[in-house]
Amino acid sequence: MSAAEPRATFVSILESELKQQQVEPVVREYKAGEVIFEEGDPGDGLYAILDGLVRISAFVSQSNKHALREFVAGDFFGEMAIINNAPRSASATAQQDSRLLFVSRDQVTHLMEESPKLVFALLHAFSHRMRETNSHFVQEMLEAERLSLMGRFARSIVHDLKNPLSVIALGADAAASDRASSELRQKAKKRIHQQVERLTHMLNELLRVSEGSTQHALEPTNFAAYFAEVIDQTRDELENKKVVVEVQTEVPSVVMPLNIRRLDHVFFNLFNNAADFMPDGGRIMVRFEERPREIYAEVEDTGRGFKPGIVDKLFTPFFTDGKPTGTGLGLSICKNIVEDHGGRIWPKEVAGCGGVFCFTLPLKA
């Protein structure tokens, strides 16, 4: 039985019962665009569509009316007036020239008292309608969530691109200055090249998140030399935010398998995330420890630290801890990158300290 058949069966039985009870049917005609009833009107009966198309809609805010569904010939609507004896919960408008059979509440009540078959047909049709409504609602919720995720993903891209674009703009201004020395122009050129590479790899990382890809290549890399480049690339950016990075231990000078462009994202994100929580400036302390099988790293800031109860949510996609500019993708991407290297990353709560993130990277693939 199709979804429309239970409704058509009810309308057919209703017409038959009206005829058998010798009740003169009331047929109302509406032009396209004409309102049949408004939300809040008295629920005086139900309508069966003989010809035409009717749209049911309701206000979701004071000024926004949302279309709920449309009914065609063989459908009925307005049955809630019979079921709950309440004002109309939605509005009905003819979308085409329409002919409607109107049956008052008293008439329907009388017919159902006389015909159990009509009662069963109404319940059957109403059950199908509720299932259709639930399915439609679920699909709308999924679509709304999909659009919401797309919007948040787009905001994440914009937010993450701001820092390297700012550095590129400063570098371009410096290089274009009439008073710029050859050495300054070379330095600006290097900065711009670094940030363009950073943008490219950031976008690739976002694509990995959207596609679920974990493919990556690890190359033997001297960790100390690599980390010196990280500090060099982030120094100006952080100084503009009055944030200083203090490396409090010796950086392990060990060759290990790394994807340096992906690992850049981890350090850049942890540093900038810390800076976001220190709007008046502060310090970022970095510590390393070379262990038999891995390098252990800590990144601590002098910010306010973690709010109670949020540590377990920090790596959940789109969780932002209330940051006005946050999108919640950064830490989840960091987690993916570290785990793709074979390591682990976690937050550490230390009384009297700011935020502390710890992660490990294996010395061998």
Side-chain angles (χ1 to χ4, degrees):
M1 180 179 289
S2 70
E5 285 178 0
R7 300 194 291 270
T9 299
F10 170 74
V11 172
S12 176
I13 295 174
L14 178 63
E15 290 181 302
S16 175
E17 290 295 327
L18 286 171
K19 184 176 181 180
Q20 185 173 335
Q21 296 292 328
Q22 297 182 338
V23 176
E24 187 68 26
V26 176
V27 177
R28 297 179 178 178
E29 297 186 359
Y30 296 87
K31 296 292 185 182
E34 190 174 353
V35 174
I36 300 166
F37 55 73
E38 292 276 13
E39 187 174 343
D41 286 350
D44 52 353
L46 66 78
Y47 294 82
I49 303 177
L50 304 176
D51 297 293
L53 177 68
V54 174
R55 174 176 294 171
I56 306 298
S57 57
F59 281 102
V60 294
S61 66
Q62 288 186 344
S63 58
N64 184 20
K65 183 178 281 189
H66 179 66
L68 301 177
R69 63 186 308 161
E70 292 183 341
F71 293 123
V72 298
D75 279 323
F76 67 94
F77 61 93
E79 74 282 357
M80 297 304 291
I82 310 300
I83 295 173
N84 62 13
N85 192 24
R88 301 291 186 188
S89 59
S91 301
T93 306
Q95 297 301 108
Q96 302 172 357
D97 292 350
S98 302
R99 292 174 59 248
L100 309 179
L101 172 65
F102 174 76
V103 186
S104 70
R105 181 194 298 113
D106 291 342
Q107 288 175 326
V108 175
T109 301
H110 174 72
L111 292 173
M112 289 195 296
E113 288 174 350
E114 298 295 323
S115 173
K117 183 167 64 173
L118 183 64
V119 175
F120 179 78
L122 176 61
L123 292 174
H124 192 198
F126 189 71
S127 174
H128 272 265
R129 179 167 290 174
M130 289 299 98
R131 290 189 179 190
E132 286 181 346
T133 300
N134 288 342
S135 176
H136 180 70
F137 177 75
V138 168
Q139 291 302 317
E140 284 199 340
M141 291 294 290
L142 290 174
E143 179 67 10
E145 179 63 16
R146 184 182 71 83
L147 292 174
S148 175
L149 288 174
M150 287 175 61
R152 290 156 81 180
F153 197 78
R155 288 197 299 275
S156 174
I157 295 173
V158 172
H159 176 257
D160 287 345
L161 298 189
K162 282 182 178 179
N163 288 323
L165 286 174
S166 297
V167 176
I168 290 172
L170 290 172
D173 287 344
S177 172
D178 294 336
R179 292 174 294 179
S181 64
S182 175
E183 182 182 357
L184 179 60
R185 286 194 172 95
Q186 286 300 316
K187 183 179 179 181
K189 180 180 177 181
K190 179 183 177 182
R191 284 275 187 268
I192 291 171
H193 180 72
Q194 288 175 334
Q195 296 306 314
V196 169
E197 278 196 342
R198 178 180 171 187
L199 285 171
T200 301
H201 292 292
M202 285 169 61
L203 291 173
N204 286 338
E205 205 57 53
L206 287 167
L207 287 174
R208 284 189 180 93
V209 172
S210 65
E211 295 170 357
S213 172
T214 59
Q215 294 182 356
H216 61 287
L218 303 179
E219 300 290 341
T221 306
N222 183 289
F223 186 80
Y226 159 71
F227 188 71
E229 289 187 10
V230 170
I231 295 298
D232 182 56
Q233 290 188 54
T234 56
R235 182 182 294 109
D236 292 346
E237 186 178 325
L238 293 172
E239 284 180 355
N240 289 335
K241 299 178 180 180
K242 299 179 181 178
V243 173
V244 176
V245 177
E246 297 178 359
V247 183
Q248 298 185 332
T249 62
E250 183 177 352
V251 182
S253 183
V254 57
V255 175
M256 56 193 297
L258 300 175
N259 184 310
I260 59 174
R261 295 289 74 90
R262 294 194 72 200
L263 196 59
D264 279 350
H265 195 96
V266 175
F267 284 108
F268 293 161
N269 186 272
L270 291 179
F271 289 176
N272 283 297
N273 197 52
D276 287 342
F277 283 103
M278 298 185 293
D280 298 323
R283 295 180 299 134
I284 297 173
M285 291 79 75
V286 184
R287 295 178 286 271
F288 296 103
E289 179 185 337
E290 185 178 345
R291 296 175 174 177
R293 295 184 180 180
E294 63 189 14
I295 283 179
Y296 168 81
E298 281 187 358
V299 178
E300 178 185 347
D301 62 60
T302 55
R304 60 172 170 78
F306 305 124
K307 291 180 180 177
I310 71 160
V311 168
D312 292 338
K313 304 175 184 177
L314 287 173
F315 294 102
T316 302
F318 301 115
F319 180 77
T320 64
D321 187 22
K323 275 202 313 179
T325 57
T327 58
L329 273 179
L331 287 177
S332 65
I333 291 176
C334 288
K335 183 174 184 289
N336 289 339
I337 294 170
V338 171
E339 290 179 350
D340 285 348
H341 277 78
R344 299 168 292 119
I345 185 169
W346 66 96
K348 184 166 74 172
E349 293 183 282
V350 181
C353 292
V356 183
F357 284 94
C358 312
F359 65 92
T360 63
L361 296 168
L363 293 175
K364 294 183 179 180

